[in-house]
Amino acid sequence: MSQTIDVELRQVRKTFGSNIVVDEFDLQIQEGECISFLGPSGCGKTTTLNMIAGFLEPDGGEIRIKGKRMNGVPSNKRELGMVFQTYSLFPHMTVAENVAYGLKLRKVPKAEVKQRVAKALELVKLPQVADRYPKQLSGGQRQRIAIARALVIEPSLLLLDEPLSNLDAKLREELREEIKRLHMETGVTTIFVTHDQEEALYLSDRIVVLSNGKVEQIGTPLEIYNRPATEFVHTFIGKSNKLPAVVEVQDGETLQLRADAGFKLQATAKGQKLTAGSAAHAYIRPEKLRLAVPGTNPLGANSAQGRVRQLSFLGAFAECDVEIGSATVTVRIQTIGEHAGLKPGDPVALIWHPEDVFVFPGEER
Amino acid sequence: MGAHNSRWRPLRNALLLLAPVLLVLLVAFVIPMVYIFALSLQNEEQQFSLGNYALFLHDSYYVGILWRTIKLSFYTVLACLVFGYPVAMFMAKASGRMRGVVTFLIIAPHLISVVIRNFGWVVILGNKGWINTTLMNLGIIDKPLKLLYNELGVVIGLTDAYIVYMVLALVTSLYAVDTSLYKAAGILGASSVRKFVSITLPLSLPGILAGSTLVFSLSMSAYVTPALMGGSAVKVLPVLTYENVMITLNWPLSAALSFLLLGSTYALVTIFTKLVETRRYKEVFSGA
């Protein structure tokens, strides 16, 4: 990947009345990168996308695309491709006419339009529907045509606004593979807005996690998952068990905590400094917890004794809720082998590694 | 037997529910129409004759009146489209509250009798009306513009009377257009004008068709407005028919005029509908 910066956001800010929707948004996107804006509804991800698209004007800061300042440039002059949640195909035009729309506006010669439309339909593997109308297509087909329509103009940037949200689970997976393939084949710089962390992890080179209009973290999927910058990032991505605790002592990288539920745990500090006696929130993901024979303590401090409360079978794996003192934690277990006979009420031991415990400052008590 | 019974039950229920209105239509519409049609085929000695129709079609005075009626109705449709479309676009974009206010504003004048409203126009458009006095006082014109008792006056009056139907028909179809289509067109490079021509206009065709058909039919059969705002100079078919009923008392000819009006309106509306409802139109706007 070359090191050209394709899109740059500098201190971008947007307010609606007294409501700050986006604030201090800084981002540099490299040419060919696929970036996700991830966050819950109302976090400012769609507002930011709309500012990049030119549907909204930022109240502060600037947006640059291919080095050109975009503030004040109307959306029809930005040379972007965009795919919407509701497909937004023109219902009175055939598939081929929909795809040709942007080319005709650019006064591309007729023969070339025909050839490029055919190529775009090949790219999304739907050459056979060229003469149909959008309403004769399924949701998944419509979204592919919308992608073809956006890509055919060879945009400098492709914007995808929750393109998979209106599709059912199976199609969603199929289409996200399709988007990944298209991104690899075309190499177009892409911004993908989603509230689905799995989609973001699957598709992106880097993820921007947003909450309440603020950037929480920008990083690769691995960084976001394994080195969350904030408690919000950790809890928004994947499932995690929250254990309110008190810091007993920090010795270099090793943190000793006492969970409110009544057991001790050890964590590896990832850069943070916590004072003894302060409140903290400790987190362990279900897949990082292991069940062990009750009464055993193979990892020293990092274990606790509990009792099975409930088992949920989820196909490839199962979730086992374990009561430890006053807390209930979820453990991901295999459904075959040693845990096959487990039932509610059985005593178990839980073990974990200190580096899998995430600690964030808690509210003062 | 049971299956036979249940198959006919929906039809029987439908007929029962429709019975009252069918009865009213039969007595107040079908029977009079048959009677008028029969009357139109009689001469003054009450014998069968096509003479009334022949008289009309061979007399350029009558044909001229039919032609004028069609022309003025056509202009009225155009005026309603041109002045109604921006209002409809505004309403389709407005918030629910604003849309309610505008709907009330365009319907409110219709709470007043059309006769009163036509006299209102006389006050505004007459030789000593507001428009002419203002323009003359400003020195823009020397003598009053002729805005009344001519074809322009009739079109103004009819447009005022029927634009509400056009606006409401257009709003319904404009409101059904997904607004993200405008965003999609914009990002693909379309200017505002281009968006209007390539997205808004074609997608509002059902509204244009419905509104135009309504306004055209109503204008063809309008009597009060042409009589009050056109005067004797702008005679249209309904006015001619009225005169034959009330003044010359030639009822068979009046009956024939009524059927010529009905027939020409129906024919023109059908032709217009066929022109608009292309194969593509049916593909795009037919249900589901």
Side-chain angles (χ1 to χ4, degrees):
Chain A
M1 199 185 293
S2 65
Q3 289 296 299
T4 323
I5 290 163
D6 240 9
V7 183
E8 194 173 8
L9 275 65
R10 284 187 200 156
Q11 290 289 303
V12 171
R13 190 180 139 88
K14 181 76 195 171
T15 54
F16 292 130
S18 61
N19 198 2
I20 300 168
V21 190
V22 176
D23 203 8
E24 298 174 357
F25 199 144
D26 277 313
L27 176 67
Q28 293 188 335
I29 303 177
Q30 315 263 315
E31 190 184 341
E33 236 185 334
C34 181
I35 291 269
S36 293
F37 291 173
L38 174 67
S41 51
C43 70
K45 57 189 192 297
T46 299
T47 306
T48 308
L49 196 76
N50 281 334
M51 287 192 280
I52 296 172
F55 300 136
L56 291 174
E57 267 300 304
D59 294 320
E62 65 172 13
I63 295 171
R64 287 173 171 273
I65 299 176
K66 299 251 184 224
K68 265 188 277 173
R69 190 180 145 95
M70 282 293 141
N71 300 47
V73 178
S75 53
N76 59 331
K77 300 260 163 64
R78 292 195 181 189
E79 294 292 316
L80 308 176
M82 186 157 180
V83 174
F84 301 83
Q85 186 177 350
T86 53
Y87 321 130
S88 301
L89 294 177
F90 307 127
H92 57 301
M93 299 182 196
T94 63
V95 164
E97 288 166 342
N98 263 283
V99 178
Y101 189 83
L103 296 175
K104 282 186 186 156
L105 290 175
R106 283 164 183 74
K107 305 210 161 47
V108 174
K110 260 189 182 161
E112 194 190 331
V113 169
K114 215 176 155 192
Q115 178 207 337
R116 280 170 73 176
V117 167
K119 224 178 101 190
L121 291 177
E122 290 284 347
L123 189 69
V124 296
K125 295 180 178 158
L126 281 173
Q128 72 279 12
V129 302
D131 296 322
R132 288 200 215 154
Y133 286 91
K135 70 172 178 185
Q136 295 163 323
L137 306 179
S138 69
Q141 287 176 323
R142 284 183 211 189
Q143 203 54 298
R144 284 179 202 218
I145 298 304
I147 294 169
R149 183 178 67 177
L151 286 175
V152 78
I153 61 167
E154 289 167 6
S156 52
L157 176 65
L158 178 64
L159 308 175
L160 303 162
D161 186 10
E162 307 230 13
L164 308 178
S165 299
N166 275 15
L167 301 170
D168 55 48
K170 190 87 187 150
L171 264 175
R172 202 178 303 175
E173 262 180 47
E174 244 178 74
L175 205 61
R176 99 186 165 190
E177 282 170 30
E178 189 78 7
I179 291 172
K180 192 163 189 163
R181 177 182 69 84
L182 287 169
H183 179 249
M184 304 237 283
E185 279 180 27
T186 60
V188 62
T189 311
T190 304
I191 301 178
F192 185 93
V193 163
T194 182
H195 60 262
D196 186 317
Q197 37 113 359
E198 224 180 284
E199 276 171 17
L201 292 171
Y202 180 90
L203 280 167
S204 334
D205 297 316
R206 282 190 300 154
I207 298 173
V208 180
V209 185
L210 290 155
S211 162
N212 289 322
K214 290 256 185 192
V215 174
E216 293 274 332
Q217 188 174 4
I218 302 176
T220 65
L222 270 172
E223 284 165 2
I224 297 280
Y225 195 81
N226 291 332
R227 302 185 63 84
T230 64
E231 185 171 355
F232 175 84
V233 174
H234 179 76
T235 53
F236 192 73
I237 312 249
K239 230 176 163 175
S240 200
N241 292 299
K242 180 180 179 177
L243 295 165
V246 175
V247 179
E248 291 200 318
V249 63
Q250 176 161 12
D251 176 17
E253 283 294 279
T254 309
L255 276 161
Q256 304 281 356
L257 300 115
R258 165 165 287 277
D260 294 1
F263 57 94
K264 290 190 171 202
L265 65 162
Q266 224 179 54
T268 311
K270 294 154 186 84
Q272 12 13 357
K273 292 259 180 296
L274 292 162
T275 49
S278 68
H281 292 157
Y283 287 90
I284 316 175
R285 295 195 187 277
E287 70 271 22
K288 301 294 189 190
L289 286 166
R290 296 263 180 282
L291 292 183
V293 182
T296 58
N297 231 3
L299 290 171
N302 290 302
S303 67
Q305 307 298 321
R307 199 169 279 281
V308 176
R309 182 181 179 156
Q310 174 181 296
L311 288 150
S312 318
F313 177 65
L314 291 164
F317 56 89
E319 282 183 352
C320 176
D321 290 348
V322 178
E323 269 175 35
I324 319 168
S326 60
T328 303
V329 296
T330 303
V331 186
R332 182 182 282 205
I333 57 171
Q334 298 302 313
T335 49
I336 49 168
E338 53 179 328
H339 302 312
L342 218 55
K343 56 186 185 301
D346 287 351
V348 287
L350 286 179
I351 52 172
W352 60 85
H353 291 286
E355 60 266 32
D356 292 331
V357 181
F358 292 91
V359 183
F360 302 98
E363 59 278 356
E364 288 308 316
R365 287 175 280 192
Chain B
M1 276 310 273
H4 184 258
N5 232 341
S6 65
R7 184 144 62 100
W8 290 105
R9 187 163 296 153
L11 182 65
R12 198 196 62 191
N13 288 346
L15 280 175
L16 271 174
L17 288 168
L18 287 172
V21 73
L22 286 178
L23 196 71
V24 170
L25 280 177
L26 184 72
V27 173
F29 183 68
V30 179
I31 294 174
M33 288 297 277
V34 172
Y35 174 74
I36 293 171
F37 187 60
L39 193 64
S40 76
L41 297 171
Q42 285 177 7
N43 62 19
E44 276 160 43
E45 282 80 47
Q46 304 197 341
Q47 290 153 330
F48 175 78
S49 155
L50 292 172
N52 295 315
Y53 292 95
L55 174 71
F56 183 93
L57 296 171
H58 284 113
D59 191 328
S60 61
Y61 172 70
Y62 288 142
V63 175
I65 287 178
L66 172 64
W67 170 238
R68 178 189 291 142
T69 311
I70 293 170
K71 190 176 70 180
L72 295 185
S73 302
F74 179 72
Y75 287 159
T76 305
V77 169
L78 277 187
C80 286
L81 261 178
V82 169
F83 294 107
Y85 211 106
V87 180
M89 277 179 76
F90 174 80
M91 284 172 73
K93 275 187 200 158
S95 65
R97 192 192 169 89
M98 193 62 190
R99 194 172 322 123
V101 170
V102 178
T103 307
F104 176 76
L105 284 178
I106 63 163
I107 289 177
H110 293 259
L111 300 174
I112 302 165
S113 142
V114 65
V115 178
I116 312 273
R117 273 189 299 136
N118 281 335
F119 281 125
W121 278 114
V122 172
V123 172
I124 295 168
L125 302 173
N127 282 353
K128 291 190 173 154
W130 297 345
I131 293 182
N132 277 322
T133 28
T134 309
L135 290 178
M136 287 205 291
N137 288 344
L138 290 173
I140 296 168
I141 50 171
D142 311 327
K143 51 178 190 192
L145 295 172
K146 194 141 177 56
L147 302 170
L148 210 56
Y149 308 122
N150 59 7
E151 295 189 348
L152 178 63
V154 175
V155 172
I156 291 174
L158 289 175
T159 304
D160 166 50
Y162 300 136
I163 196 168
V164 59
Y165 299 98
M166 183 65 89
V167 170
L168 294 181
L170 288 173
V171 167
T172 311
S173 74
L174 285 174
Y175 196 54
V177 178
D178 175 4
T179 49
S180 75
L181 296 182
Y182 300 124
K183 280 188 178 183
I187 205 98
L188 285 165
S191 61
S192 304
V193 174
R194 201 56 199 239
K195 277 189 250 182
F196 177 79
V197 173
S198 63
I199 313 291
T200 316
L201 209 52
L203 287 176
S204 66
L205 267 181
I208 294 175
L209 179 61
S212 302
T213 305
L214 266 170
V215 171
F216 185 77
S217 312
L218 290 168
S219 302
M220 284 290 282
S221 56
Y223 168 75
V224 177
T225 302
L228 290 178
M229 296 183 68
S232 54
V234 194
K235 199 169 281 178
V236 293
L237 207 44
V239 174
L240 179 71
T241 312
Y242 176 84
E243 285 175 358
N244 273 292
V245 174
M246 302 302 286
I247 299 165
T248 51
L249 297 176
N250 188 346
W251 285 27
L253 179 62
S254 305
L257 293 178
S258 304
F259 267 88
L260 283 162
L261 179 64
L262 181 68
S264 49
T265 306
Y266 182 77
L268 288 167
V269 166
T270 308
I271 291 168
F272 179 62
T273 308
K274 286 273 180 273
L275 284 178
V276 175
E277 285 189 346
T278 53
R279 231 187 88 224
R280 173 184 292 253
Y281 181 97
K282 284 180 191 152
E283 289 265 16
V284 172
F285 295 112
S286 65

